[in-house]
């Protein structure tokens, strides 16, 4: 799936979130799914907010560039990041 000319660059990744972890961190990968430990509880959207903040910080993009497309009430999420290539996302999340 390529980008149309003039369309803003967007990358989608799958994340499996583990709320109430000891600390917030990328915990590895399972195939094409990134595992993310989140210290925040899942109640009142806190884990989703922490997920977006952490991904934004790791990738060095604005908070508004990261959004959860699917999985707001599930541990498996589809996240879209604007303004960064899939290769750069993979590199930054792996380090």
């Amino acid at each position: 799936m390529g980008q149309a000319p003039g369309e803003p660059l967007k990358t989608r990744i799958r994340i499996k979130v583990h709320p109430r972890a000891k600390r917030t961190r990328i915990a590895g990968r399972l195939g094409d799914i990134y595992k993310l430990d989140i210290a925040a509880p899942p109640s009142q959207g806190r884990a989703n907010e922490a997920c977006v903040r952490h991904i934004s910080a790791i990738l060095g993009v604005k908070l508004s560039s990261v959004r959860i497309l699917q999985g707001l009430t599930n541990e498996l999420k589809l996240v879209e990041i604007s303004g960064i290539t899939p290769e750069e996302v993979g590199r930054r999340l792996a380090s």
Side-chain angles (χ1 to χ4, degrees):
M1 180 164 95
Q3 296 290 131
E7 183 178 315
L9 180 62
K10 294 180 182 176
T11 300
R12 292 181 178 180
I13 58 173
R14 292 212 172 269
I15 296 177
K16 184 173 183 181
V17 174
H18 298 105
R20 291 194 177 110
K22 290 184 180 184
R23 63 185 179 122
T24 299
R25 68 184 181 105
I26 296 290
R29 283 182 77 168
L30 183 60
D32 66 341
I33 299 172
Y34 291 93
K35 297 187 292 183
L36 179 60
D37 291 341
I38 296 287
S43 60
Q44 299 174 347
R46 290 184 194 145
N48 287 334
E49 182 181 326
C51 174
V52 168
R53 286 186 184 282
H54 192 67
I55 295 299
S56 169
I58 289 173
L59 298 179
V61 297
K62 296 178 186 178
L63 271 176
S64 61
S65 296
V66 180
R67 66 185 187 130
I68 299 173
L69 297 179
Q70 294 176 343
L72 288 173
T73 60
N74 195 325
E75 65 181 16
L76 190 58
K77 302 182 183 308
L78 178 62
V79 177
E80 182 177 78
I81 306 107
S82 299
I84 190 168
T85 65
E87 296 78 19
E88 188 65 16
V89 169
R91 188 183 68 73
R92 291 183 186 183
L93 292 179
S95 57

